[in-house]
């Protein structure tokens, strides 16, 4: 809703789109399929509006989340797995991965640059590295932002060095 006033009104040469996790966290009735569909429509609209305004578009993948760092959270995860239940984090991460697959495919099909933040922040198991997650399991640490910056800076420099 704020793209035109807060971003495009400044006539940027490049627009980076990143941030759908709250769409999943706040999904009405926990309907992640509907939240994902809305997020994809919103991204599609923002891509089209940014391009129409003359801006190049970069899609950043969303990062996964971890269980909070607490004894009760660990116990709940173990108990849930023993009962064959999918954890909240695994449910959210499935929606994140689905969205990220869509973002990568959209970028490939339309020649957009991708910042693959999911892969940069993930441990070998695909979940965000412990050192990149605050104790709540959701927010990024300073170390995560530093890793994202080390990765994204050169990617953006290579892609857009010649842009005014």
């Amino acid at each position: 809703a704020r793209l035109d006033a807060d971003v495009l009104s400044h006539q940027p040469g490049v627009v980076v789109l990143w941030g759908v996790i709250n769409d999943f966290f706040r999904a009405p009735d926990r309907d992640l399929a509907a939240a994902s569909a809305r997020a994809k429509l919103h991204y599609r609209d923002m891509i089209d509006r940014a391009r129409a305004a003359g801006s190049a578009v970069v899609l950043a993948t969303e990062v996964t989340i971890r269980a909070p760092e607490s004894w009760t959270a660990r116990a709940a995860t173990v108990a849930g797995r023993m009962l064959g239940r999918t954890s909240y984090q695994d449910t959210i991460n499935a929606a994140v991965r689905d969205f990220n697959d869509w973002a990568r495919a959209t970028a490939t099909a339309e020649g957009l640059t991708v910042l693959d933040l999911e892969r940069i922040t993930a441990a070998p198991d695909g979940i965000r590295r412990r050192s990149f997650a605050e104790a709540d399991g959701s927010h990024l640490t300073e170390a995560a932002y530093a890793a994202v910056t080390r990765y994204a800076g050169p990617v953006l420099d290579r892609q857009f060095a010649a842009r005014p």
Side-chain angles (χ1 to χ4, degrees), residues 14-18 43 47 51 56-61 103-117 151-161 163:
V14 179
V15 172
V16 178
L17 300 178
W18 176 29
Y43 263 61
I47 291 166
R51 283 178 149 176
V57 177
V58 174
L59 296 182
T61 60
R104 289 180 195 105
T106 298
T108 297
E110 300 194 22
L112 305 175
T113 299
V114 174
L115 292 176
D116 205 340
L117 305 182
Y151 160 72
V155 171
L156 296 174
D157 285 347
R158 280 191 306 274
Q159 188 66 33
F160 301 108
R163 267 188 102 83

Side-chain angles (χ1 to χ4, degrees), residues 57-77:
V57 177
V58 174
L59 296 182
T61 60
E62 189 56 81
V63 296
T64 56
I65 63 173
R66 298 186 62 85
E69 290 297 315
S70 71
W71 181 87
T72 55
R74 285 188 204 114
T77 298

Side-chain angles (χ1 to χ4, degrees), residues 64 66 118-130 132:
T64 56
R66 298 186 62 85
E118 176 191 4
R119 293 191 176 132
I120 292 304
T121 59
D125 65 0
I127 303 300
R128 188 185 323 169
R129 294 175 189 275
R130 187 171 308 280
F132 289 170

Side-chain angles (χ1 to χ4, degrees), residues 12 14 19 28 33 40 58 69-70 73 76 80 86 88 91 93 97 99 107 109 112 125 127 138 142-144 160:
V14 179
K40 291 170 186 175
V58 174
E69 290 297 315
S70 71
T86 302
Y88 173 78
T91 301
N93 287 339
R97 287 187 186 99
F99 182 86
L112 305 175
D125 65 0
I127 303 300
S138 175
E142 285 186 38
F160 301 108

Side-chain angles (χ1 to χ4, degrees), residues 3-4 8 17 41-55 57 106 110 112:
L3 182 69
D4 293 323
L8 299 180
L17 300 178
L41 286 173
H42 292 161
Y43 263 61
R44 175 79 266 152
D45 178 59
M46 289 188 289
I47 291 166
D48 293 343
R49 288 168 41 207
R51 283 178 149 176
S55 299
V57 177
T106 298
E110 300 194 22
L112 305 175

